[in-house]
Structures are given as structure tokens and as C-alpha cells.
Amino acid sequence: MARRDARRDSSPLERQRGGRRGRALAGEAGLPKYVPQIALRSIEGHLTRTGTQVMAWYRLAAQAWSFRSDSQREVLIRQIAAQLGELQGRWLHLRVTTRPYPVHMWAESFDHNALGRMPDVAGALGWDGFLEGEQRHLMGLSMSDKEVFLGIEVSGRSVLDRWVERAAPVLGRVAPAAVRAEIAALSTEVGHLDSLVAGSGLDAVPASADDISWLMHRSCALGLPAPRTLSMVPGGVSRWETEDLAAFTDGIDMHQEPYAPTVRVVGRLRTQTVSRNVAVLSVGLMDGLRIPEVDDPWMQHSDRLPFPVEWSARIYVRRPEEVAGELQRQMGKVRSQIRHYTHDHDLDPPMSLARQADRVLEVEDELTTGLTQLNTRLYGWWRVAVSGKDEAEAVSRAQQVLDVYRPKVQIEHPEAQYRFAREFIPGEPLASTAYRRRGSVTWAASAVPAATASVGDRRGIMIGETCTATRRPVAWDPWLAQEVRRASGLTAVVGGLGSGKSFLTGVIVYKTLRAGARWTVLDPSGPLAELTRLPELAPFSRHINLLRADPGILNPYRVVAEPRPEHFLDEEDPERAWRRERSLAAATRRRLVLDVLTGLLPYDVARLPHTRIVLLRAVREVGGATDRHPGQVIDALRRHARDGEDHAGVVADFLEERRELPQAALLFPDTSRDDPWQADREYRLTVLTMQGMTLPRPGSPREEWTDGESLAVELLNLASWLTQRTIYDADRNLRKGVALDETHFLSQVPTGKVLIDRLARDSRKFNVRALFASQLAGDLLRVSGFASLVNAVFVGRTDDEEAQSEALRLLKVPTGVGYEQMLGTLSPRPRHDDRPDDTPRQFIFADGHGGVEKIRIDLEAPHLEHVREALDTNPDASRVSVRGVPAATAPAAVRAPDEP
């Protein structure tokens, strides 16, 4: 009773608390359980876990395919096949997706790498406008990079593992710990897979957290436009719990109308709702492909299409015992059918049965002899997905996929598009076993899914885009080789007339100038001098026409730079190295004077042995100091003639005659004046031209040269030495460039070869990018060691067969396998098109780091229209004013008398 009275006297709150005494609290039991819309249950590092299996994901490195020999390609296929053969008894998931070219990342790297750029000029294109214009132009091209991921089954999950997961609400926090323990137990097997796929062939690395995030977003939002920027995974985060997987599926809806040929995907892109129709195709029957002899890797064919294509392949690598049993059963069927024809009906069996029997025996022989891992069998399903803004566009693009694979590969368009689209998501089950493809690992490896165009870098200037099977931007930093890779800065630009050598040189010079480099350009014909007149470059540029310059500007004793002691501080003995280099410079001056004066003489006189002797004696008497000049050599010859050397007087007379030529004054300084080259050295761009100089026809023999042509070649040689001298007058760490045109004449002069060799060897030490332009690659190959020292190579249109073979040698590309004909098809032009040929030129570009691709030079951005006009070397009569009429209005104002 007392107890009953106490309860009656207590408060309601106390009675409520007393009523719960002895019962468990609600805790987390009342929370709803989140079940993901996908099969994945967690992600740990590069491992994904579903209810039935654990898979390790890897990112495959891009593989170069263009401009490689068949033997090199076969080695690549065998390497991939050997790695696949080691994965017997495992399921693989191959995913190929695309990522928009990271324009903002390139812009940040380029801006950070633009050291010491020139100040902006009022009213001209500034740095910010230039960089913004480059970004806008790149974003308008809509190019993307191929990314290839490979998932490998690590282990199937046991019944206990699945029970622990289902019992998570009861076990509380035990389940996550059990999952981590399960994955930790697989660490040895995962480590084995990591080392296996890292070898040559797949060249794979474990997928990072950002890679996994990108793959999941691109798979769950299949067909939606790829975001140009995706929020980075926070640093240190490498695990997604079950509830975290909602980040990949929320806001994405995928549905299909009955019997519709596409599946509709709706999702959020930033703040807008976007929808796409996705058509999923499957690879069907396939004819025998001859890869690499005739055909390209069959998965690479889709790279030719002008829209992104997604691939998903589910592959099972079979164990030998599984294949052996199936072969025995198949052989029993074939023999039974043959016996049915021969014994029961006394008929000859069809030839198809004989072929089946032969094929079974062939496969059995492959599995039991030789390198069995290269003949391991597999089966799989290869799906292709394309998207469009509506169903009609998606179906049209699907038809283009069918067309690009005809007639050797049949592409099917299956029903149940929703289930097939779900296959692209890691961890999802196979939609259907229809269109199963069977073959060896070598056949699967011949698809080379990671084959793509890879050339250039991600921090340099944009020079164009690849125009092979894969289309992507080409950035190139001309100083990456010297500053990072410790390689030479020697670059060859080769191509026939009209191939675009001058235009390419102008593009490189202009864009690197904006990024802070300093250039000295020798352009005998003069079109590149227009760069010095551009408003943004004019205050920092100068144009020097050497034929109108002060006397003595090409004095052979002055064009060879005097070594400076500070250039040898990193040597073991700086003083000794400096003195040795001074002696070498003096010897170079003596040799240069000897070659120049010999070249000025008539050919019949120059080839006499005694001429060389008397000249050499006079040159040695004058010495190799920088304060000498060729007039002193003539004076020495006169003294020797007075001493009884008659031939010395003859040589002196010929040289005095040549001295009277107007252009020869460039060799003989006016002693009453100062050194004409002692000028302001703060110019960013110096263009040296020799307009009006007549050079010999390329390839013409020396004896056919006129006096003017002989003098022109010697002046070109001296101008080239003067150009390279500028690199020794500046700080050795500054980024400097030297561009030399018409260098095929330098290879015919001994000191010209010395110049090329010296530039090649000093380019790394003095941080120089040296561009040598020539019509024929053979002229550069004749320079000893040029092929081994050259770093980057540009080869334009070349028609001569011998020149094509030499150009491939310069590119370090296999010869005799069909690449020669490709050089003759660069920059194609319709035969009957009479419009001005202003189409962008094509080159084969070897970046010096293993990448070789066909590229298209691009200067079509709106913000560079004035640069394009300045570099346009095509003649146009409409630019000339007629009878006082301005050039811009002349074509419209001047008409024929009978013209309306």
C-alpha cells in the first residue's frame, strides 16, 4: 500500500522514468538504414567492395602507337598479353572514359612557368588578355584525354563476410572493423597484383582517390557532360563508407521507356538539370584482324569519332583446366558429327567441320606448348556507350560507331538498355551473357585500350593539336629538356617550300617571348621581322638588316664570343677551363677567317693547294684575338709577297677586288668607329635579316656559284655565328632562343658544322633552345653527331623519297614500313582549289622524350589574329596600292572598262 501511495504521489516525469527502468535505450536502432542504389558497399584506397567480391582498381598509362615499328607494337601486345595471362581465374572490369583537357591546370602551370615575362604595353595585348584568350580558345575546341581503368578481382567474399555485413545493425561498430580486417587480410594478394600490372605493357598504378571519384561520377552519370572541374577529394581521405556512396548517385536518375533504343539519364550539372540519351552497343562477331601489320587496335577506332565514347568490358581469364575440358567436349562433338556423315551416310563431311576440328587442335596445341601465359583463353563482353542531347542524336552517333567498325567488326544494338547502361558502374552485375566473345589473351591485348596520342607536356606554350586517331592539344616547353631532363636544346625544323617552317618558327618565338624568353632570329628572307612591329613586342624588339648595317658588323673576329670567367665557376678548375675555352675561341676565329676568305676567292683559285697554304700562314700571323679584322690578313699577304711569295700577292689581289663589293664592307670594320655590336643588350627580340641577298640554289655544286652567291653564303655563315654570340652575352640561366633559317648552307661550310655542333653542346649549359630550319634533313644529318644531339624535331611536307627517308632518321622513326608516304600527305590541298592556301600546316613532331605524333599548327584564336596576319608570307597583289588608291580599296575600285 505504501508503495502504491508513493507512486500516486510522484510526478508524471518520475513515473515515466520509472517505467523505462530495466529497458534498453533506443540509441541508433531507430535510425533508417541507408541502402545504396548501386552494388558497391565501400571503397578502401583503390579497393572496391560489394556483397560478393573485392576488386582492385588501377589506372593504365597511355601507350604510344603511332610511328612505331611493327616489331615494337608486337612487343607491346605480348607484354600486355603476358600480364593478362597471369590473372587466371579472375574477373576483370575494363573502363575507358574521357576527361576534358584540364585547361585551368595548364593555364596555372603555364602562368607559373612564365618566368621574367615582359611588361604589358598600353593599348596592346597584355599578359592577362593573352592567357585568357588561350584558355577560351582551348575550351572551345572541346578536346579531352582518354583515361583507362582496370579493375581486377582480388577475392570473392565468403559467407561469413556477407553475414557480418547483414548483421551490421546488431553488431554496431564491429562491422566496419571486420571489413577493414577482411581487406587487410588481402594485402599480400593486392601487393602481388600491384607489382604485376606495374610492369611494361599495362604500366598501371593503383588508382588514387581522385581517380576513383572521377570513375564513379562518370559511370553513375553515364553520358552526361563531363564537368570541367570536379571537387577534389579532401587530402588524406581514401575510404568511402556505405553512406558516403550517396555522393555518386544522388541527383542522378536513369530510366528507359519500354523498347526504347536509348536510356535517358537525368542529373544535376552545377545548378542546372541536364539530360542525355545514351545508346549502349555491344561488340559482336569479329573478322580476323591483322594487328599490327594492317589494322590498328580495334578499341582505338572509336577515338576517331568527333564525340566522346565510353567503353566497359567484363572479362574472365580462364584457367587452363577449364579450357582443356571444354576443348575435349567440343572435339567430341566435332568427331561425332564427322562420324555421322562418313559412317552413317557415307558422305564427305562439310569443310566447316574440318576447320572446326583444326581450330580445336590448334588451340589445344597453344595451351600445351610454348609460353602458355600468352595463349591463355578468356571470354568477355565489350560494351560501347554514346550519348546525345536527344534520342535522335544518340541513335545517329550509334550509327557512326557501327560505320567506323565496318566491315570487320559487327556492332550490335541490344534491348534492355537500362541494364546494359548499369554495367558501366563498377561492381554492378552483368546485364546479359548475350554477345559473349571468346579468344586468347593475345587477342584481347591487341585491342590496346590505352593506345592514344601522347606528345608534348602540360606546362609549355600551345602550338597546335594532334590530328591522328586521337585529337588532343599539344603544349611544348622548349626549356623543359635543359632545365629538368638535362638534355640538349637542339631542334630541327625540316620541310620543303611552303611547308610552314617560317610560320611555325614565328608561333614558337612569339608565344615564348610572351612567357619571358629572349630570342635572336636569323631570317635571311625577312618575314619574321614583322614580329618586331607588333605593338606588344615593339618596345622590346629590334630589326637589323645586316646588308645595311655598319661596316664590320660581320667581322669574323668579332662574331665569335669571348668566353667569360663566370661561365666556368662550376668546373673543377675554373681558371684552367676558362683559359682552355679562350684558346678554343681563338682557334675558331682563325678557322672562320680562313674559311670566309677562301670562300670569297674564285673557285679555281680557292681549290689550289698553295692558296690554302699562303692564307693559313697569313691568318696565323694575324692571330685570333678579338681586335683583329680581315684587312690585316690582306696586309700580311702583301708582306709575304714582298718577301718573295708570289702566290700570296695573287691571293691578296683577288681579296682586294672582292673587298670593293658593297656587301663585303660588312667584313671590314671602319677602325675610326666603335664596335657596331656594342649596343643595348636588353632587347627581348632581335631579328637579323639579309633581304636582297641571293643564295645559291640548294644542292648546286660549289663551282657553279657566282661571286655574289659565294659572298652570300659566307655572310650567312658569319651572321649565324653572330646570332649565337648573343647567348654568351646574357646570364646563362635566362631562357634564350636562337632561330636560324636556311641552315642547309651551313652544312656545306666547315665552320658552319662547327657552329651547329657548338650550339648543340652549349644549349644545355646556357639554357638555349636552338631552332635549325632546313629544306632537307640530309643537310643536317651530314653534320657529325647531329642526329644523336638533336632533341625535338618538326618535319613538314616532304615529297622526295630520299628526303623522306632522311627525315624519318632524324625523327628516330622506323624506315621502310610505310611512314615515308605519310610525309608526302602532310598539309593536303585539293588539286583544283584556286583559293589562297592559308590552311594550318601539319608537321610530324618528336618532342625529344619519346612522343612522336602528327600535329596541326594552331594560331586561329581570335586574340592572335594580328599575329597570324604578321606571319602570313603568302603573296597577295591586293595588298599593293594602285595609282594612289589605298590597298584596302584597290580591288573594289579598279575595274576593267567593260566590267559592270
Side-chain angles (χ1 to χ4, degrees), residues 337-655:
Q337 295 178 25
I338 293 177
R339 191 181 306 110
H340 178 71
Y341 277 94
T342 56
H343 293 184
D344 298 348
H345 299 283
D346 197 21
L347 297 174
D348 293 332
M351 296 183 64
S352 59
L353 285 178
R355 286 195 298 268
Q356 290 182 36
D358 292 340
R359 180 55 183 157
V360 171
L361 293 175
E362 180 182 348
V363 172
E364 186 178 17
D365 180 67
E366 291 176 353
L367 291 174
T368 55
T369 60
L371 298 174
T372 56
Q373 69 268 24
L374 294 180
N375 301 307
T376 304
R377 315 302 292 181
L378 54 77
Y379 58 76
W381 298 262
W382 278 260
R383 318 293 193 197
V384 187
V386 294
S387 63
K389 294 181 179 180
D390 50 33
E391 184 173 289
E393 185 178 30
V395 173
S396 174
R397 291 182 172 181
Q399 183 62 43
Q400 294 183 54
V401 175
L402 269 64
D403 294 339
V404 81
Y405 277 95
R406 284 176 178 166
K408 294 187 176 182
V409 180
Q410 189 169 345
I411 304 295
E412 306 292 346
H413 193 163
E415 299 291 340
Q417 289 282 292
Y418 175 83
R419 289 190 294 134
F420 279 96
R422 298 275 300 188
E423 273 190 23
F424 286 75
I425 304 174
E428 292 299 302
L430 193 68
S432 170
T433 57
Y435 308 115
R436 185 201 312 246
R437 302 268 61 82
R438 297 175 176 85
S440 66
V441 290
T442 304
W443 165 79
S446 66
V448 195
T452 186
S454 179
V455 68
D457 51 64
R458 288 291 179 88
R459 75 175 203 176
I461 60 171
M462 283 292 168
I463 59 176
E465 61 186 38
T466 59
C467 47
T468 51
T470 306
R471 182 169 172 257
R472 60 187 302 271
V474 178
W476 180 51
D477 180 6
W479 290 273
L480 178 66
Q482 302 92 302
E483 295 177 350
V484 178
R485 304 182 186 275
R486 305 305 180 193
S488 161
L490 191 60
T491 304
V493 183
V494 178
L497 292 173
S499 60
K501 298 189 301 296
S502 297
F503 187 87
L504 171 62
T505 302
V507 170
I508 296 173
V509 170
Y510 175 82
K511 291 194 173 184
T512 51
L513 276 170
R514 300 307 309 264
R518 289 160 171 78
W519 279 91
T520 303
V521 181
L522 174 59
D523 182 28
S525 55
L528 295 181
E530 294 296 324
L531 291 175
T532 63
R533 301 180 179 91
L534 295 177
E536 60 269 30
L537 302 183
F540 314 99
S541 307
R542 60 178 171 179
H543 169 213
I544 301 176
N545 187 343
L546 293 175
L547 299 186
R548 300 175 185 173
D550 296 333
I553 195 171
L554 294 181
N555 177 4
Y557 290 95
R558 294 294 297 163
V559 298
V560 178
E562 182 71 5
R564 297 164 60 178
E566 58 267 26
H567 291 165
F568 302 91
L569 296 179
D570 56 346
E571 300 285 344
E572 293 183 3
D573 188 347
E575 180 72 18
R576 181 180 179 183
W578 174 57
R579 293 185 181 280
R580 183 179 65 248
E581 196 65 25
R582 287 188 63 191
S583 300
L584 180 60
T588 303
R589 294 188 190 99
R590 293 194 299 269
R591 179 63 183 271
L592 184 59
V593 172
L594 181 63
D595 286 345
V596 168
L597 296 182
T598 303
L600 294 180
L601 295 172
Y603 179 74
D604 293 337
V605 177
R607 67 176 182 174
L608 295 175
H610 203 41
T611 300
R612 192 79 172 177
I613 294 174
V614 297
L615 269 178
L616 179 60
R617 188 178 302 165
V619 169
R620 293 186 62 181
E621 181 179 327
V622 173
T626 58
D627 59 350
R628 303 293 190 262
H629 59 83
Q632 296 173 333
V633 178
I634 298 178
D635 295 339
L637 288 172
R638 294 294 187 193
R639 290 195 298 271
H640 295 169
R642 290 193 295 268
D643 293 340
E645 185 63 67
D646 295 336
H647 193 69
V650 174
V651 173
D653 291 339
F654 276 110
L655 291 178

Side-chain angles (χ1 to χ4, degrees), residues 215-233:
L215 176 62
M216 292 300 300
H217 277 288
R218 293 295 290 148
S219 301
C220 295
L222 183 67
L224 293 183
R228 292 190 177 273
T229 56
L230 185 65
S231 59
M232 302 290 289
V233 177

Side-chain angles (χ1 to χ4, degrees), residues 485 487 790-793 845-851:
R485 304 182 186 275
V790 69
N791 175 257
V793 179
F845 174 39
D847 59 11
H849 315 308

Side-chain angles (χ1 to χ4, degrees), residues 229-249:
T229 56
L230 185 65
S231 59
M232 302 290 289
V233 177
V237 175
S238 61
R239 175 173 175 80
W240 281 265
E241 301 287 354
T242 303
E243 295 80 6
D244 298 327
L245 300 178
F248 304 131
T249 57

